[in-house]
Amino acid sequence: MGFFLVLKAEVKRTMIISRRYWFATLTALFVACIMFTVFFYGFFSGIGTGMAGLAIDKALGLIIGIFAFSMVGMFSTGLAGMARSGELEQVYMSPHGLITNFMARSTVSTILSIVTWTVILSFMSASLQRASSNESPSNPQTVQAATVDGATNTTTPPANASTLPSTAGTGKLHADPLPVSVLFLLTYFSMTGFGFMIGGLVLVFKQVGQIAVLLRFAMMAIAWTASDALYNHHIILQALAHTIPVTDAAICLKLVLLKGIGNDVFTHPSFFYLILNVAVWTPIGLAIFKAMENWARGKGTLGAF
Amino acid sequence: MSSAAAVELCDADKIFHTHHFFQKHEETQKRRIYYKKTVHAVNHVTFDIRPGEILGLLGRNGAGKTTMVKMISGLVKPNSGKVIVDGLDVETKRLKVLRKIGVVLEGTRTVIWPLTPMENLSYFGNLRDVKGKILKERSKELLDFIGLTDKMNVEVRKLSRGQKQRLAICIALITDPPVLLLDEPTTGLDVQSSRAIKDKVIEMTRQRGKCVLVTTHDMNTAQELCDRIAIVHEGKLAACKRTEDLLEVFSDQTYHLRLDRVPDLAPLTAIPGVLSAAALNDDEGIGISVQLVADEAQRSSALYAVVASLERAGVVLRAINHAQQNLEDVFLRITNTDTKSGKSS
């Protein structure tokens, strides 16, 4: 009950601020849309690959990375900023507790991220496919982009097809509701659990915020490059990658959204690792956050940074 | 300790430890690889606040006032002792306690600047379980009470500091809590804003029966506003009395003697029962101010002895007045005495 009240308050606040500063909101969305499309289209056309699938694969990776980046950011630099401005003390004094408040805040930020990036990704996917279909079929590399989407018109594969990640599809997005919703939910919980752990540490050890910055960039890079080619690497590297919550989430989301494997994702090893991540990170994160919250009260650092 | 108290601090104690790496030591000024600093912020403090009462916590910067407020609001955990609000232990029933208190921390950090006062009240009301019609009605009533109705749809960032502070009080009152904690509510405000806040706090306490704790180092605010004053010095409670009793304590002991000239003060300070003697030179003329001991019999003998000594020195005595103390004098004397003796009075 408390969670929904806080959620309602947060949604209302976010909506009011977005509406009040509508120009900033629209500009940010517009700039992100244009930048993404121009960057990816320009980049992949420029190097001559002309592969919409690869472009969308990388864009989705980047978006998942940005989500992880902002989620960990909310629990590290965001939390530090709240401590500095006094907002953290106010939130702490709400009778629903800090954990409920942060769950609601992260939910709102996730929903916003999903809405924003879905718009951007759809826009980008549509423009890349339109651009690809307008290209002349005389260039075999552009044929790939233009025809694979048609599924039956297979022509000579391009010379560099082997460089495509196994998660890359045709550039078309497959929004299967069930697997996509399950994956989003699991990604949210694994990221929130991980975020709570970082946030708890930031409550007491303020310098953790600096390490979290590195971690955020690392997560973004992992999400950008993640594919099931990971399973070809050394077992230790695999184990390390699986402990980071964003790796398997990115692999699964790419397989569903880009490859369109649908419900088959539920039998993919990365899906099990993702569940394991949720099962491990959520209780660990919450336990660490609770313990650190108590410690921070003892040290009197809730309102200080 | 009264069982009817709305807030009770029972032997509350708080020690903060800070760890410093590669920094200059504050005392020796030598750089150290590591040193630990210990601050006894609240030193076994006991006091209570009753419903319908305004208690002022008075002290210098760093005396421990804000730590006490934070202990009551559950933001800081005491090392030992108990904090009870409306019969509930803050440590074990913190979330329930938070429904019974409204807190305004120092500055205007409570409010969200991009929102209007009405939206702020709606946001914080939702955070604190106040919903729907009750929330709307209470928000309007509070804004009307605090005098912000005409600003209810203006973004907070466009309001003056005094208006922000008044809004912060409204936010603290949105749950209609029986206990209100105000940490330096008038700091940095102009006379009018400060006056308005004081009036509202008094009105709220008298009309609505709230129990209010105010921390301040503004003596006028404390003297005008508070029913009782607790003076905090270096984490200890140096005094906790009704405001008039506190003023009375030292009024009894200081006398102004108006003379034709200022005599040698050394023989006067040697008289048993005389704590100090100082020259006076103000609008009422020249003379001396003598501070005597608290014990009435000793004080009387000392006063006779002072007059006799002045007569022997050939000084003309024109008048003897009982000195009127203000809170600032009392505060300075309590904290100075305390510093010298190292004890709480």
Side-chain angles (χ1 to χ4, degrees):
Chain A
M1 187 61 193
F3 171 78
F4 291 107
L5 274 172
V6 181
L7 189 72
K8 184 182 157 195
E10 283 301 324
V11 169
K12 269 172 93 174
R13 176 169 82 147
T14 312
M15 297 305 282
I16 289 168
I17 293 175
S18 307
R19 200 184 58 218
R20 185 151 299 147
Y21 300 99
W22 61 270
F23 188 73
T25 311
L26 277 183
T27 314
L29 198 66
F30 183 71
V31 167
C33 248
I34 297 298
M35 288 256 301
F36 248 69
T37 309
V38 169
F39 170 70
F40 277 96
Y41 184 63
F43 177 69
F44 287 100
S45 301
I47 61 168
T49 59
M51 286 179 275
L54 181 63
I56 292 291
D57 177 89
K58 294 298 175 198
L60 182 64
L62 189 62
I63 287 168
I64 298 166
I66 290 172
F67 169 65
F69 186 87
S70 56
M71 187 66 110
V72 175
M74 192 183 91
F75 282 96
S76 52
T77 45
L79 198 138
M82 283 172 75
R84 214 177 283 126
S85 70
E87 198 183 342
L88 189 65
E89 284 176 334
Q90 289 303 319
V91 171
Y92 191 73
M93 283 189 288
S94 123
H96 304 298
L98 214 49
I99 288 180
T100 310
N101 271 280
F102 269 90
M103 282 293 252
R105 277 165 186 259
S106 59
T107 306
V108 174
S109 119
T110 305
I111 293 169
L112 270 179
S113 286
I114 290 172
V115 171
T116 312
W117 292 112
T118 303
V119 171
I120 292 171
L121 202 63
S122 307
F123 178 73
M124 192 186 149
S125 168
S127 24
L128 280 173
Q129 284 189 58
R130 178 181 279 268
S132 300
S133 61
N134 289 341
E135 297 246 354
S136 158
S138 60
N139 178 352
Q141 288 178 352
T142 53
V143 169
Q144 167 78 5
T147 58
V148 169
D149 198 25
T152 48
N153 279 344
T154 45
T155 55
T156 317
N160 59 351
S162 60
T163 60
L164 270 174
S166 50
T167 48
T170 61
K172 189 182 169 189
L173 286 175
H174 304 266
D176 291 313
L178 179 70
V180 169
S181 320
V182 170
L183 289 176
F184 272 139
L185 214 61
L186 290 175
T187 308
Y188 164 75
F189 279 115
S190 65
M191 285 310 305
T192 312
F194 190 74
F196 268 116
M197 186 195 70
I198 301 285
L201 294 173
V202 169
L203 280 178
V204 177
F205 308 107
K206 308 295 182 192
Q207 301 305 321
V208 170
Q210 303 307 315
I211 300 165
V213 174
L214 286 177
L215 201 67
R216 289 165 73 191
F217 280 108
M219 286 173 98
M220 201 153 82
I222 287 168
W224 160 272
T225 53
S227 77
D228 51 7
L230 168 74
Y231 294 97
N232 302 329
H233 290 288
H234 192 273
I235 186 110
I236 295 174
L237 197 70
Q238 279 188 47
L240 264 174
H242 289 309
T243 56
I244 297 168
V246 78
T247 315
D248 293 293
I251 293 172
C252 290
L253 279 167
K254 282 177 180 180
L255 286 171
V256 172
L257 286 168
L258 306 179
K259 275 272 192 179
I261 68 165
N263 291 345
D264 288 350
V265 76
F266 298 132
T267 54
H268 196 277
S270 277
F271 181 73
F272 294 106
Y273 282 114
L274 182 58
I275 291 178
L276 195 67
N277 266 302
V278 175
V280 171
W281 283 121
T282 309
I284 287 183
L286 291 177
I288 289 180
F289 193 83
K290 192 76 201 155
M292 292 294 165
E293 181 190 315
N294 257 331
W295 194 1
R297 275 186 68 217
K299 279 171 68 97
T301 54
L302 272 175
F305 189 81
Chain B
M1 194 86 10
S2 162
S3 59
V7 175
E8 294 174 65
L9 251 80
C10 314
D11 200 28
D13 193 69
K14 183 70 206 171
I15 299 172
F16 288 118
H17 301 286
T18 51
H19 305 270
H20 305 267
F21 296 92
F22 303 108
Q23 286 182 10
K24 278 185 180 172
H25 193 278
E26 280 177 19
E27 286 164 17
T28 60
Q29 287 301 309
K30 284 182 183 168
R31 198 169 289 277
R32 297 240 188 116
I33 294 173
Y34 168 77
Y35 76 90
K36 185 174 162 183
K37 197 179 154 194
T38 300
V39 178
H40 208 150
V42 177
N43 194 343
H44 298 280
V45 168
T46 299
F47 67 77
D48 65 354
I49 318 169
R50 287 153 223 142
E53 183 185 47
I54 306 175
L55 177 80
L57 269 185
L58 215 59
R60 296 172 179 172
N61 290 331
K65 308 182 294 291
T66 302
T67 306
M68 287 180 203
V69 170
K70 288 188 175 180
M71 276 160 92
I72 298 168
S73 50
L75 286 168
V76 167
K77 195 162 124 183
N79 290 104
S80 65
K82 277 195 170 187
V83 183
I84 311 283
V85 175
D86 214 13
L88 299 169
D89 188 338
V90 175
E91 274 316 293
T92 54
K93 306 274 181 200
R94 195 180 67 85
L95 295 183
K96 279 189 181 169
V97 167
L98 288 172
R99 293 175 195 275
K100 295 180 182 290
I101 57 171
V103 189
V104 180
L105 292 173
E106 196 187 347
T108 49
R109 310 198 306 177
T110 318
V111 292
I112 300 169
W113 290 27
L115 303 184
T116 65
M118 200 64 185
E119 288 161 353
N120 261 286
L121 288 170
S122 166
Y123 174 75
F124 283 104
N126 275 319
L127 275 195
R128 289 163 196 180
D129 262 358
V130 188
K131 310 168 256 194
K133 208 178 161 190
I134 298 173
L135 175 61
K136 267 189 186 167
E137 280 172 7
R138 200 175 286 164
S139 302
K140 280 184 185 165
E141 188 199 332
L142 281 170
L143 289 173
D144 182 44
F145 168 72
I146 214 91
L148 282 178
T149 309
D150 57 331
K151 304 282 180 193
M152 65 196 275
N153 294 319
V154 177
E155 282 170 58
V156 170
R157 65 190 174 92
K158 293 175 185 165
L159 300 182
S160 70
R161 191 172 170 159
Q163 288 165 334
K164 284 185 192 122
Q165 190 69 0
R166 278 190 272 164
L167 175 61
I169 294 175
C170 283
I171 291 170
L173 288 170
I174 194 70
T175 52
D176 196 21
V179 178
L180 187 63
L181 311 174
L182 304 173
D183 190 15
E184 320 236 352
T186 55
T187 302
L189 299 186
D190 59 41
V191 180
Q192 284 87 348
S193 300
S194 175
R195 179 78 267 159
I197 286 175
K198 277 186 261 186
D199 289 346
K200 290 298 169 191
V201 171
I202 291 171
E203 198 181 324
M204 205 164 53
T205 318
R206 305 290 173 252
Q207 288 178 3
R208 301 182 178 205
K210 305 269 179 215
C211 141
V212 182
L213 174 71
V214 184
T215 75
T216 182
H217 29 229
D218 178 356
M219 305 296 156
N220 291 331
T221 301
Q223 200 166 339
E224 286 173 36
L225 199 62
C226 304
D227 301 312
R228 262 195 313 150
I229 287 175
I231 295 179
V232 186
H233 185 60
E234 292 174 354
K236 293 175 195 161
L237 201 62
C240 184
K241 288 179 187 293
R242 293 194 63 77
T243 311
E244 53 269 34
D245 293 346
L246 200 62
L247 294 170
E248 197 64 24
V249 170
F250 291 109
S251 303
D252 283 355
Q253 301 167 33
T254 306
Y255 294 86
H256 291 172
L257 288 85
R258 298 294 165 184
L259 310 167
D260 65 335
R261 62 187 163 86
V262 177
D264 180 13
L265 297 175
L268 298 178
T269 49
I271 296 169
V274 175
L275 295 174
S276 68
L280 268 180
N281 190 357
D282 54 25
D283 295 345
E284 293 176 41
I286 54 172
I288 55 168
S289 167
V290 285
Q291 190 193 340
L292 307 177
V293 289
D295 179 75
E296 197 171 14
Q298 259 193 307
R299 192 167 69 231
S300 171
S301 310
L303 193 58
Y304 277 125
V306 168
V307 173
S309 169
L310 291 172
E311 193 178 18
R312 279 198 301 277
V315 180
V316 176
L317 177 62
R318 291 181 174 147
I320 301 180
N321 301 318
H322 197 184
Q324 287 298 309
Q325 297 282 306
N326 61 25
L327 199 57
E328 191 168 332
D329 299 325
V330 173
F331 175 76
L332 286 173
R333 285 176 60 176
I334 286 181
T335 51
N336 285 340
T337 309
D338 200 55
T339 310
K340 282 174 196 163
S341 66
K343 289 176 189 169
S344 298
S345 44

